[in-house]
Amino acid sequence: MTGRALIVVDVQKDFCEGGKVPVPGGAEQARALRDLVKERAGDTYVRVVATRDHHIDPGDHFSEDPDFENSFPEHCLAGSDGAEFHPDFEPVVTSGAVDEVFFKGAHSASKSGFEGITAEGEALGDWLRAQGVDTVDVVGLTTDHCVKATALGGVRDGFGVRVLLDHTTGVAHDSTARALDEMRLAGVELTGTPVVQA
């Protein structure tokens, strides 16, 4: 059995308006992703998963003088309100439409969902393969950071990877353009139009 899974990346309060490192349009994307999961879970996808930044002590990933590439202001601290899913996305998690949640970045930057683990410690790639998944669609926040890293991580882990750009939001035009080039070069399939409201 082979199938396609949807990976929804980091739709958390700290990455949406009002959060510690907000992305313009993040809340709007949270609602769109909720609707995407509702429409396609169990139909287009054999499994739907979500990733969450879950920082405990990520070292120099947190900085008082961040470069917004490798270092950022403190965000998504484990147990904090900002680390929770955005309230417009949360209902599809609690309803069971999202099959599993993967936590990443406890003690490192860990931008890629493929560095994430379940609450029981199972890695995303291992979990997907056990579910019969060989290809993934990646969506979420943000195109130029954790979506890119997750897509590249999926390629490295042997999955066919597609990014649905209509369902990702980027931080800035230049960094999003660089991310698209990097993903194309790695063999990631890109569909739709990048969303950048900055």
Side-chain angles (χ1 to χ4, degrees), residues 45 50 59 62 66 73 92 130 191:
Y45 302 108
F62 285 173
V92 295
T191 68

Side-chain angles (χ1 to χ4, degrees), residues 24-108:
E28 181 181 346
Q29 190 64 261
R31 291 186 286 275
L33 290 166
R34 173 199 62 203
D35 294 343
L36 175 69
V37 171
K38 282 183 176 179
E39 290 165 8
R40 300 195 188 179
D43 181 15
T44 305
Y45 302 108
V46 298
R47 291 290 181 265
V48 176
V49 303
T51 69
R52 279 176 61 164
D53 258 13
H54 183 76
H55 296 309
I56 296 171
D57 181 13
D60 58 9
H61 184 54
F62 285 173
S63 174
E64 293 181 3
D65 185 27
D67 63 15
F68 293 96
E69 183 61 38
N70 297 304
S71 60
F72 295 84
E74 185 178 279
H75 61 277
C76 295
L77 277 171
S80 70
D81 185 62
E84 298 299 319
F85 288 117
H86 189 277
D88 287 333
F89 182 74
E90 176 73 28
V92 295
V93 179
T94 55
S95 72
V98 170
D99 296 297
E100 187 59 89
V101 176
F102 292 83
F103 299 88
K104 59 188 178 66
H107 298 285
S108 65

Side-chain angles (χ1 to χ4, degrees), residues 9-10 15 21-23 139-149 168-171 176 179:
V9 176
D10 297 0
F15 297 134
V21 281
V23 182
V139 296
L141 305 175
T142 62
T143 316
D144 32 358
H145 293 288
C146 293
V147 167
K148 177 189 79 171
T168 70
T169 298
V171 174
T176 297

Side-chain angles (χ1 to χ4, degrees), residues 88-166:
D88 287 333
F89 182 74
E90 176 73 28
V92 295
V93 179
T94 55
S95 72
V98 170
D99 296 297
E100 187 59 89
V101 176
F102 292 83
F103 299 88
K104 59 188 178 66
H107 298 285
S108 65
S110 292
K111 290 185 179 183
S112 170
F114 282 87
E115 297 174 4
I117 57 173
T118 64
E120 293 75 33
E122 188 172 9
L124 175 56
D126 294 339
W127 188 92
L128 289 171
R129 279 186 283 271
Q131 304 296 315
V133 170
D134 60 357
T135 57
V136 297
D137 286 353
V138 182
V139 296
L141 305 175
T142 62
T143 316
D144 32 358
H145 293 288
C146 293
V147 167
K148 177 189 79 171
T150 299
L152 297 177
V155 170
R156 284 192 295 271
D157 216 357
F159 293 88
V161 181
R162 179 171 67 178
V163 173
L164 311 183
L165 295 173
D166 292 338

